[in-house]
Amino acid sequence: MEGMLFHAFVYLAAAVVAVPVAHRLGLGSVLGYLIAGILIGPVLGLVGAETKDIQQVAEFGVVLMLFLVGLELEPKLLWQMRGRLLGLGGLQVGLTALAIAALAFSLGLYWGLGLAVGLVFAMSSTAIVIQTLSEKGLTKTEGGRASFAVLLFQDISVIAVLALIPFLAQPEPLALAAWLSAAAGDNSAAQGAAGLVAGLPNWGYALVVLGAVATVVLGGHYLSRPLFRYIAESRLREVFTASALLLVVGTALLMTLVGLSPALGTFLAGVILATSEFRHELRSDIEPFKGILMGIFFITVGAGIDLPLLFGDFATLLGLTLGVMGLKALVLLALARLFRLRAGDRWLFALSLAQAGEFGFVLLGFCVQNGVVPTGLARTLSLVVALSMLLTPALFILYDRLIAPRLRNGKGPAPDTIEEEGTVVIAGIGRFGQIVNRLLVAAGIETVVLDHRADQIDLLRKLGIKSYYGDASRPDLLHAAGLARARLFIVAIDDRDRAVEMVDYCRRTYPQVRILARAYDVGHLYLLKQAGADLAVREVFDTSLGLGAAALRELGMHPYKVERMTRAFRRHEAAGLAGMYDLWDQDPDIARNLALQARIREHVGTLQDALNSDRMQLHDRTERGWTPPSRGFSREPD
Amino acid sequence: MSNAPGSTKVDEAVGRRRILVLFAHPSLERSEVNGPLAAATARVEGVTLVDLYAEYPTFDFNVDLEQERLLAHDALCFMYPLYWYSTPAILKEWQDLVLERGFAYDAAAPALQGKVFFNALTAGGPEAAYCAAGYNHLTIRELLSPLEQMSRLCGMVFLPPFALFGARTAVEDGRLAGHIADWVRVLEALRDHRLDLAAAAPRTKLNADLDAIIRGA
């Protein structure tokens, strides 16, 4: 217990100290975590042997991250990017691996060894790249999307590479036996897998894998929704968080049991749930866990660096690292040109993916197990992988400082990147929010609707209205709904106090978003204005006025006269509200605020004058000294 | 006409006419000519452009504000696409409500006395249609006679309309840029007292031979 607490303390303290500093210096959080790891590991020696165990836990962060990535990608989108996925990704992995293999072969190494090393280095770091791209807001750029497609292909191809590696061993007597048995089709794909599928024939294994994938797809699609709805109705927030984690852990476990990559499985689960109404809630529940675990993962990478070996032959290692990164960047640049990315995106694409990644460690370990790569060489190569990951933030800085500004300052206006249209986030989809949403959607505006009543969301979804479950007063959920990128935030919930809190929070956190709010009455309207709402409207004002107008028409008054009177009423009311705010601000309690009471009496008293003024104008007659008072407006009737 | 009648209000500091353009287009998103024309207008120094349909989408005018605007300017222009040989509805409502008795007419000191009034319009039909022999039978100036009489009753100096005919094909015929350039030239000349009001007044349309009525630059 003590040991665990101590290690938790050391890891957290290192992160808390190093990450904000790195961030402040513009280095990005990933480099901060890596530096923290180096400090507590090889430099201070505070942590040591247990990093391996911790790394296993931390790798779960990658799994969570891919779940979140999947959650952002609807199946439709995934299908749209199939060309890039296979073309860009396939060529990147294939060409990089072949180039390195050819180089190794020309140096007299065994071809299998060369190819294995090539495959190890072909992988980039999903963790670093996606984290950094989203931190810098580059995920939606062409370069960001292309990078993502390649990373996704790499993650998928790891499974195939794991199956291929046993065939690459040099056919020495001992390794030959393994090679032969593998070649004989003896459960080759499951070499690295444990559990359920050991000892199954190939067709059986294929069936189990298909079954597992089907379980994720069908379960995610049909079972998760009723389950989440049931849990949501219990209104126990921590149980919802627990069930979200359960979903991810369960999927990962299932995939591990059948020998598939857990990251890939949860990615699939994420894609399935991307269209679900619980998407934002799931995202905001999982995100904190992912953030912390990813951080720890990077710390373990830093802590695992073998400093004596590193400094023993630093020049060679650095040369090797730069060589690998240069080669990868060259391949990436060529592909970017082939796939017609623009200049800026081309550099972003090449620089962001030039490092080797965390799958490199996994593959190296597996190569050693299979006798493909000797242990000593593997240790050196591990260092190269780590070193290249360590250098990645520097490449992003290079892009930020040197390439991006130059592109912006180039001749002519910078090419327009197609930004996502500013969305409108609507909190509360009861009677009020529904009307607002219908008008906006019919006008072609993209809205994100949130409500905390699962049954209401369920009903709306059946009626074809896109909406999400979630308590909109929770900051993390608002963030997940994209409030940072939204243009408008519409607060249409019933709960008066929460509405004010929400407006206040949004105004402080997202000053650029305009806030429109539903007010219960004048006092509430003032509170909302005070909290920072750009516009607040009383929920029943318009309808009441409409019914009043109908009553006047029922009584035989000419409809256009009624219309003019209601307009005058509206103007009178608006002027009164604006005029009373200062008095209200001095003391919101009307019962005690005598000045406010007097002003309200006056406001009510002047209404009749306002309505009967022939001018239909609300004004102070004394201002119009140049108009003979007896005349007023004498528009001749048509 | 640089020595306009004493009642013409001239900005003392600059000596320029301040021009108020009331712009009325009920479906601006479909506009090919008036939109660019309005945008060019807004860029001319000393000109105030008011998009009436944007400011009063329910025709619910703030009469006081509109009257203050009139008082603060020396020339008034209605800018619109011709609808049924007249202005779009909002400009009629604007006249009905803003040009009050006691303010614009029948007043001890009519507020608009001596100001310049004119129209800038676009018409779908060809210019040849707007004459006694054409299918519209009347010239554009004759069609605008209610507006001319309105300005006369208010004591304003009426100028013939700045008109673009065949407006639906102006863009594809490549006539828009020239029309906008002419428009900016007229606005600047009126502003700087270089537009010969007396020479312009009897014409059928303002933009027939600009060199003849604009002095200098």
Side-chain angles (χ1 to χ4, degrees):
Chain A
M1 187 65 190
E2 241 174 71
M4 195 195 92
L5 281 179
F6 173 71
H7 284 131
F9 178 78
V10 170
Y11 275 82
L12 292 175
V16 168
V17 172
V19 175
V21 173
H23 198 81
R24 189 67 53 89
L25 294 175
L27 304 175
S29 65
V30 174
L31 194 54
Y33 285 119
L34 289 172
I35 293 170
I38 296 175
L39 283 180
I40 60 170
V43 173
L44 297 176
L46 290 174
V47 294
E50 81 295 336
T51 38
K52 275 269 176 291
D53 302 331
I54 292 177
Q55 191 155 21
Q56 276 177 1
V57 179
E59 268 166 11
F60 194 65
V62 180
V63 171
L64 291 178
M65 183 180 70
L66 275 161
F67 176 71
L68 292 174
V69 167
L71 217 45
E72 295 294 304
L73 259 191
E74 295 179 22
K76 212 167 52 185
L77 270 170
L78 195 60
W79 181 245
Q80 274 169 10
M81 56 186 274
R82 66 192 185 280
R84 288 212 154 159
L85 200 63
L86 296 177
L88 262 183
L91 284 174
Q92 187 271 337
V93 172
L95 289 179
T96 310
L98 284 178
I100 293 175
L103 208 63
F105 189 66
S106 69
L107 291 174
L109 288 174
Y110 176 65
W111 67 269
L113 172 61
L115 190 57
V117 173
L119 287 168
V120 165
F121 284 140
M123 302 300 159
S124 309
S125 173
T126 310
I128 294 183
V129 178
I130 293 196
Q131 183 99 347
T132 313
L133 285 177
S134 71
E135 244 176 54
K136 296 186 182 299
L138 293 167
T139 34
K140 298 274 153 77
T141 62
E142 274 300 292
R145 283 178 210 266
S147 302
F148 178 73
V150 170
L151 288 171
L152 197 56
F153 180 84
Q154 290 177 352
D155 293 348
I156 298 169
S157 69
V158 165
I159 302 156
V161 173
L162 282 173
L164 179 72
I165 282 176
F167 296 93
L168 298 177
Q170 194 159 14
E172 283 168 332
L174 207 141
L176 188 65
W179 186 77
L180 279 178
S181 70
D186 180 17
N187 185 17
S188 59
Q191 285 282 335
L196 285 180
V197 290
L200 279 181
N202 268 350
W203 61 268
Y205 177 64
L207 273 184
V208 171
V209 167
L210 277 180
V213 172
T215 308
V216 172
V217 173
L218 297 177
H221 198 73
Y222 293 105
L223 284 180
S224 69
R225 288 183 188 192
L227 181 70
F228 280 136
R229 198 169 301 134
Y230 174 72
I231 293 165
E233 273 159 9
S234 76
R235 299 281 181 93
L236 295 168
R237 195 176 158 208
E238 67 282 2
V239 178
F240 196 94
T241 308
S243 61
L245 275 177
L246 177 68
L247 173 92
V248 179
V249 171
T251 310
L253 180 66
L254 180 67
M255 290 294 132
T256 315
L257 283 178
V258 302
L260 288 180
S261 144
L264 197 66
T266 50
F267 170 76
L268 187 63
V271 172
I272 302 297
L273 287 168
T275 50
S276 136
E277 61 266 46
F278 298 100
R279 172 179 165 188
H280 296 299
E281 180 80 13
L282 284 170
R283 197 183 133 185
S284 59
D285 277 343
I286 297 285
E287 205 143 58
F289 293 99
K290 173 219 114 183
I292 290 185
L293 287 178
M294 287 299 292
I296 295 177
F297 173 77
F298 292 128
I299 293 180
T300 60
V301 170
I305 285 179
D306 188 344
L307 277 190
L309 182 59
L310 178 67
F311 288 115
D313 199 358
F314 186 69
T316 315
L317 277 173
L318 189 66
L320 259 178
T321 308
L322 291 178
V324 168
M325 294 177 83
L327 186 73
K328 289 191 75 169
L330 274 181
V331 171
L332 289 163
L333 271 179
L335 286 177
R337 189 170 280 267
L338 187 68
F339 279 76
R340 306 224 165 104
L341 291 182
R342 277 197 300 255
D345 293 315
R346 226 180 268 164
W347 282 106
L348 177 64
F349 178 67
L351 291 181
S352 67
L353 295 177
Q355 81 295 98
E358 54 275 4
F359 280 120
F361 297 125
V362 178
L363 292 179
L364 272 174
F366 194 59
C367 283
V368 171
Q369 272 173 39
N370 284 273
V372 180
V373 177
T375 319
L377 181 61
R379 204 175 289 156
T380 309
L381 294 180
S382 283
L383 267 182
V384 171
V385 172
L387 210 52
S388 73
M389 288 166 78
L390 211 53
L391 286 175
T392 302
L395 292 186
F396 274 109
I397 293 170
L398 187 75
Y399 174 80
D400 274 350
R401 300 268 157 88
L402 287 180
I403 294 172
R406 186 166 307 173
L407 289 169
R408 255 176 258 128
N409 296 338
K411 278 181 219 148
D416 282 334
T417 44
I418 296 158
E419 299 289 339
E420 258 184 40
E421 207 191 340
T423 50
V424 177
V425 178
I426 301 178
I429 189 71
R431 293 162 302 138
F432 195 98
Q434 272 180 48
I435 305 281
V436 176
N437 186 52
R438 273 169 60 194
L439 179 64
L440 293 181
V441 169
I445 307 292
E446 202 189 318
T447 62
V448 178
V449 173
L450 304 168
D451 204 295
H452 63 93
R453 283 163 304 172
D455 49 342
Q456 177 81 358
I457 293 290
D458 187 33
L459 179 67
L460 286 172
R461 288 214 155 216
K462 280 181 187 144
L463 301 175
I465 296 165
K466 207 170 121 192
S467 44
Y468 297 97
Y469 164 77
D471 180 350
S473 64
R474 275 176 41 203
D476 49 348
L477 192 78
L478 289 177
H479 181 75
L483 199 53
R485 294 186 306 274
R487 288 180 57 189
L488 290 184
F489 179 41
I490 296 176
V491 180
I493 60 168
D494 285 325
D495 189 322
R496 283 183 250 173
D497 298 335
R498 276 197 170 173
V500 175
E501 282 166 26
M502 238 185 247
V503 169
D504 182 55
Y505 170 77
C506 178
R507 179 45 73 233
R508 281 186 286 111
T509 317
Y510 308 102
Q512 78 286 2
V513 178
R514 285 186 67 79
I515 306 170
L516 313 185
R518 159 196 186 179
Y520 178 79
D521 55 16
V522 176
H524 191 225
L525 184 141
Y526 284 157
L527 284 172
L528 290 165
K529 284 265 186 191
Q530 201 176 39
D534 293 291
L535 174 73
V537 293
R538 277 175 289 166
E539 55 185 15
V540 297
F541 180 78
D542 267 283
T543 38
S544 315
L545 200 56
L547 190 76
L552 288 178
R553 288 193 297 271
E554 287 290 332
L555 293 172
M557 194 177 280
H558 190 282
Y560 196 62
K561 163 103 170 137
V562 174
E563 173 64 25
R564 271 153 44 206
M565 287 176 75
T566 52
R567 283 183 185 187
F569 188 103
R570 211 181 279 280
R571 267 194 300 270
H572 181 255
E573 193 72 3
L577 282 183
M580 281 184 275
Y581 179 78
D582 287 338
L583 290 174
W584 172 86
D585 201 24
Q586 286 158 21
D587 182 4
D589 185 354
I590 297 180
R592 281 188 320 204
N593 191 331
L594 296 179
L596 182 57
Q597 287 175 19
R599 179 67 70 83
I600 293 174
R601 276 195 304 275
E602 186 196 332
H603 177 65
V604 172
T606 52
L607 178 62
Q608 195 171 1
D609 274 356
L611 297 204
N612 290 329
S613 146
D614 275 347
R615 274 283 312 280
M616 304 164 31
Q617 283 293 300
L618 181 75
H619 64 271
D620 182 358
R621 277 152 194 269
T622 59
E623 283 174 14
R624 298 179 59 89
W626 40 264
T627 300
S630 61
R631 240 187 304 219
F633 173 57
S634 65
R635 178 183 159 205
E636 298 295 325
D638 301 301
Chain B
M1 284 294 290
S2 57
N3 292 322
S7 51
T8 297
K9 294 194 168 63
V10 173
D11 189 320
E12 302 290 332
V14 196
R16 288 169 157 183
R17 280 201 188 89
R18 296 157 302 181
I19 306 170
L20 175 65
V21 177
L22 296 181
F23 176 59
H25 197 308
S27 54
L28 197 51
E29 72 284 354
R30 285 193 307 217
S31 164
E32 292 173 0
V33 177
N34 278 280
L37 207 57
T41 308
R43 285 193 295 267
V44 178
E45 210 192 317
V47 175
T48 309
L49 181 79
V50 175
D51 182 345
L52 283 181
Y53 275 106
E55 206 156 313
Y56 303 109
T58 61
F59 287 36
D60 192 14
F61 291 107
N62 181 341
V63 174
D64 288 333
L65 173 66
E66 290 306 307
Q67 292 182 348
E68 279 162 26
R69 276 181 174 150
L70 286 174
L71 291 171
H73 291 82
D74 309 302
L76 171 66
C77 171
F78 287 177
M79 185 168 171
Y80 53 90
L82 197 67
Y83 274 49
W84 280 120
Y85 309 108
S86 183
T87 67
I90 201 167
L91 273 169
K92 180 67 168 66
E93 183 87 343
W94 182 91
Q95 296 171 64
D96 293 352
L97 292 181
V98 177
L99 301 181
E100 282 179 304
R101 180 176 166 198
F103 170 74
Y105 69 99
D106 193 13
L112 306 177
Q113 188 75 43
K115 294 182 195 289
V116 173
F117 173 75
F118 68 120
N119 294 272
L121 59 88
T122 59
E127 187 158 13
Y130 289 88
C131 65
Y135 66 78
N136 283 326
H137 299 292
L138 299 166
T139 68
I140 188 67
R141 175 149 187 177
E142 285 164 346
L143 286 167
L144 297 183
S145 49
L147 288 166
E148 185 166 353
Q149 176 54 27
M150 173 274 282
S151 90
R152 192 178 296 142
L153 190 70
C154 296
M156 295 195 278
V157 178
F158 183 80
L159 293 184
F162 182 89
L164 177 71
F165 296 97
R168 299 304 303 274
T169 59
V171 172
E172 57 188 84
D173 297 346
R175 290 183 283 134
L176 182 58
H179 186 69
I180 290 177
D182 283 352
W183 173 238
V184 171
R185 194 175 163 208
V186 165
L187 282 178
E188 287 173 349
L190 178 65
R191 177 192 67 191
D192 301 337
H193 300 278
R194 287 187 287 105
L195 185 69
D196 188 337
L197 301 186
R203 295 180 163 206
T204 300
K205 72 171 193 179
L206 194 58
N207 48 329
D209 178 10
L210 290 181
D211 289 335
I213 55 170
I214 293 178
R215 286 189 309 271

